[in-house]
Amino acid sequence: MKKQLYIYEIQALFDDVQRSEVFEDQKMMTDAVPLFPVEEINAKYEAEKQSENFNLKEFVLSNFDFLGAKISIQRENHLPIEEHIEKLWDELTRTAYEEKGTLLKLPKPYVVPGGRFNEFFYWDSYYIMLGLQVSGRVEMMENIIENCSYLIQNVGFVPNASRTHFLSRSQPPYFSLMLDLLFETTKDENIYIKYHNTLEKEYAFWMNGAEKLENGSAVNRVVKTIHGDVLNRYYDAENIPRPESYLIDIEDSENAGEEFYRNIRSACESGWDFSSRWFADGEHIQTIETLNLAEVDLNCLLWHLEKTLAKSSSLQKLNEKEIDYSERAAKRRQIIDQYFWDETSGTYKDYHIQKNTNTPSEHIAALYPLFLKIASEDQAKAVAKNIEEKFLYQGGLVTTTQNTGQQWDFPNAWAPYQWLGYQSMKNYGFDDLAEKIKNNWCSNVERVYKNTGKLMEKYNALDIETVAGGGEYPNQDGFGWTNGVYLKLKKN
């Protein structure tokens, strides 16, 4: 598994290309595959860039390949939406049996979010699996799990996506939930035994450094509160601009706080890039402070990982391990209640490590304790009321109550949280609310599909009139988790 990021080796050229905005977006150059040895390209660049008629874009196009950058999915006719999704599974399938540029090698085929992607994304893949389950594509579900396991075994974790520049961060740890989904499909408990070692390795990644922490301190992805309890946070090992958003990060960093780049990258590990959830002032990205927060969703997912490890240990009669992981899960359940439940507002909130209090941001990640059945009946009732009054609109569930222009803020409705919302309400018997969440979002998806022939990455929950749900979305060929969640909700 390649650890070296070749972008660092062409830093001067890369910096010039990104700052000059040679391409329409910054992902293009990041995904480019060198056609010649990097040393050769560097030498050529140094020699040629001084000449009077040097054209930077032409130089790049003649020295790099842009594999799949413009893949487009065409339809002769407007199929019914479910037929369209069935065809999309094959059209969004990729393989990476060898490394190319920044693209990491993977042993199995996988489904990408949309037509312009060649890389495998971590938490997207769980929501894609929901649809694959409905479509009866068990082998592809197994492929996704096998690819995650391969990455955990070879890198130590599943990167944000399968590219070298994501080797400094992961995404919400969904591997244990993927195993549950496959077990629900095949009823084969051996899946937990087969991947026990992988589960342990992922857990070690998230807990790395916990044993050395002093009260009121943090390292990597672990935090020890002033009371001596261990919580987890999102984190990125690097404190430099993201190659895939290079110029944006450099521009945003002006007048920003300390470790701005690491805070930006750490928010990317959550999947929420970006949201008022991370901003100290609730409005401006320059005040981002992801590193100061322990998040409710992450800690719930790690509770699930601990419970799954207790189960996989039990199946193998590893009694000491079963007891250890069961105790860890029980302790985490108690501290989720202690640190993330906000009695005053009747919902779950993130915890500010420095201020030792809940953050003011109200957001949809409050669903996780209900989704995983950690919340009490009273807590679930309060959250359901909060969700119905503040988050549910005609086009689906919004992510926050703040309208900042960031994509993970109001008024956007993202597929993962429609499923989390629906399932959370079903778990506690709020069936009418579950149906409302399902119907509001699915009808929005159907309306936009009817108008555009596309499934979008996200939808505007307020705008149920204009052609493409607010007009802010370029027509995309996809979109993985929308396809998956739509099929799963329609089947339920």
Side-chain angles (χ1 to χ4, degrees), residues 372-383:
L372 295 172
K373 303 181 190 171
I374 295 171
S376 69
E377 295 292 333
D378 285 347
Q379 286 168 328
K381 198 171 178 180
V383 172

Side-chain angles (χ1 to χ4, degrees), residues 179-385:
L179 295 186
D180 278 3
L181 198 57
L182 187 59
F183 171 66
E184 187 187 293
T185 313
T186 64
K187 305 292 183 241
D188 183 5
E189 274 191 333
N190 288 319
I191 190 84
Y192 297 104
I193 297 170
K194 181 180 178 182
Y195 292 108
H196 173 78
N197 177 260
T198 305
L199 289 163
E200 284 200 311
K201 205 156 184 174
E202 183 172 51
Y203 186 64
F205 165 77
W206 286 95
M207 299 307 293
N208 181 28
E211 60 291 336
K212 295 174 188 163
L213 273 185
E214 292 177 10
N215 289 10
S217 66
V219 66
N220 303 330
R221 291 161 180 81
V222 281
V223 170
K224 198 172 238 188
T225 69
I226 51 169
H227 308 295
D229 295 311
V230 175
L231 295 169
N232 286 81
R233 67 174 181 174
Y234 293 114
Y235 180 82
D236 188 299
E238 298 275 10
N239 187 33
I240 53 177
R242 295 168 296 153
E244 73 279 14
S245 300
Y246 193 75
L247 188 59
I248 299 162
D249 283 0
I250 288 169
E251 288 171 351
D252 283 342
S253 71
E254 289 174 28
N255 307 313
E258 177 184 336
E259 284 203 295
F260 174 76
Y261 296 130
R262 198 191 306 277
N263 275 298
I264 283 284
R265 288 162 159 272
S266 302
C268 292
E269 185 166 81
S270 77
W272 286 44
D273 46 348
F274 293 98
S275 166
S276 57
R277 179 183 181 185
W278 314 122
F279 305 160
D281 69 356
E283 288 181 40
H284 303 100
I285 200 163
Q286 285 76 16
T287 69
I288 192 166
E289 58 166 354
T290 323
L291 295 168
N292 288 334
L293 312 180
E295 294 87 359
V296 61
D297 45 356
L298 176 57
N299 283 275
C300 288
L301 289 167
L302 287 167
W303 171 84
H304 186 270
L305 178 48
E306 288 160 345
K307 287 286 286 181
T308 308
L309 276 162
K311 180 177 182 172
S312 62
S313 299
S314 167
L315 289 168
Q316 297 172 90
K317 309 223 173 353
L318 302 170
N319 297 340
E320 282 182 26
K321 282 190 173 184
E322 183 191 352
I323 291 165
D324 180 41
Y325 288 123
S326 296
E327 286 174 352
R328 285 168 181 263
K331 174 65 177 170
R332 193 179 295 266
R333 185 173 189 155
Q334 177 246 311
I335 62 178
I336 285 169
D337 197 49
Q338 184 181 335
Y339 288 94
F340 300 112
W341 176 251
D342 181 36
E343 189 67 49
T344 313
S345 57
T347 192
Y348 291 91
K349 292 183 172 181
D350 297 326
Y351 185 76
H352 199 290
I353 303 155
Q354 310 295 330
K355 297 177 181 173
N356 304 306
T357 185
N358 292 113
T359 60
S361 174
E362 290 187 279
H363 55 73
I364 200 78
L367 286 168
Y368 275 85
L370 282 69
F371 178 64
L372 295 172
K373 303 181 190 171
I374 295 171
S376 69
E377 295 292 333
D378 285 347
Q379 286 168 328
K381 198 171 178 180
V383 172
K385 183 173 184 286

Side-chain angles (χ1 to χ4, degrees), residues 126 184 367 370-373 417-429 434 437 488-489 492:
Y126 173 76
E184 187 187 293
L367 286 168
L370 282 69
F371 178 64
L372 295 172
K373 303 181 190 171
Y417 286 93
Q418 315 310 311
W419 173 248
L420 290 173
Y422 174 82
Q423 192 57 50
S424 296
M425 297 312 136
K426 294 295 279 186
N427 285 345
Y428 289 87
I437 291 166
K488 184 73 171 169
L489 283 173
N492 277 42

